Amino acid sequence: MRYLKYLFLIVVAVAAVLLAIANRGPVTLRWLPEGVRVPGAEGIPTEVTLPIYVAVFLAVFLGILVGLVLEMLRETEHRRKERLYKKEAARLDAENKRLAAKAGEEDDDILGLTRG
């Protein structure tokens, strides 16, 4: 299984390198549509020119980052419940051990009745 994982990663890396080599042309990315002016932000650049493959890799990276953050936020309730369940399980385990240790004593009402 480990070899399949490495093989998959190698194939993805080769595909990324081929994509980068084949798409080296420049592309201009604009933060605002042309003609839109923001008062007080005249010195801030509104566009950047970079190779297409960098734009694609940035888009993929940002998509993965947004997905990770959303998944982390979605799982917070599950993690909170898991912590509560673990605490409850530990409490019940301690209670079980306490009752098991007490089971050998004769002053326990139910066990005393069963032993006659």
Side-chain angles (χ1 to χ4, degrees):
M1 189 64 163
R2 182 185 310 169
Y3 295 116
L4 288 176
K5 179 176 135 182
Y6 290 139
L7 179 66
F8 177 74
L9 290 176
I10 289 171
V11 168
V12 169
V14 168
V17 169
L18 290 175
L19 178 78
I21 291 171
N23 295 293
R24 291 178 289 172
V27 64
T28 300
L29 299 176
R30 291 182 178 85
W31 309 115
L32 296 172
E34 286 189 48
V36 175
R37 304 278 183 237
V38 178
E42 288 80 19
I44 299 174
T46 59
E47 63 183 40
V48 61
T49 302
L50 40 92
I52 294 173
Y53 72 90
V54 173
V56 170
F57 290 156
L58 283 175
V60 169
F61 176 74
L62 286 175
I64 290 172
L65 187 66
V66 167
L68 287 173
V69 168
L70 290 176
E71 184 64 18
M72 185 181 70
L73 292 174
R74 187 187 70 82
E75 288 182 354
T76 54
E77 181 67 19
H78 297 293
R79 291 175 193 232
R80 185 185 68 78
K81 285 182 180 179
E82 180 185 10
R83 281 193 305 272
L84 290 175
Y85 293 150
K86 282 184 179 179
K87 282 182 185 179
E88 181 70 9
R91 186 188 67 77
L92 290 173
D93 190 43
E95 177 76 9
N96 191 22
K97 287 179 181 176
R98 184 186 67 79
L99 291 174
K102 186 179 177 184
E105 300 174 5
E106 290 297 325
D107 62 343
D108 188 14
D109 295 337
I110 296 176
L111 289 177
L113 290 173
T114 59
R115 291 186 183 162

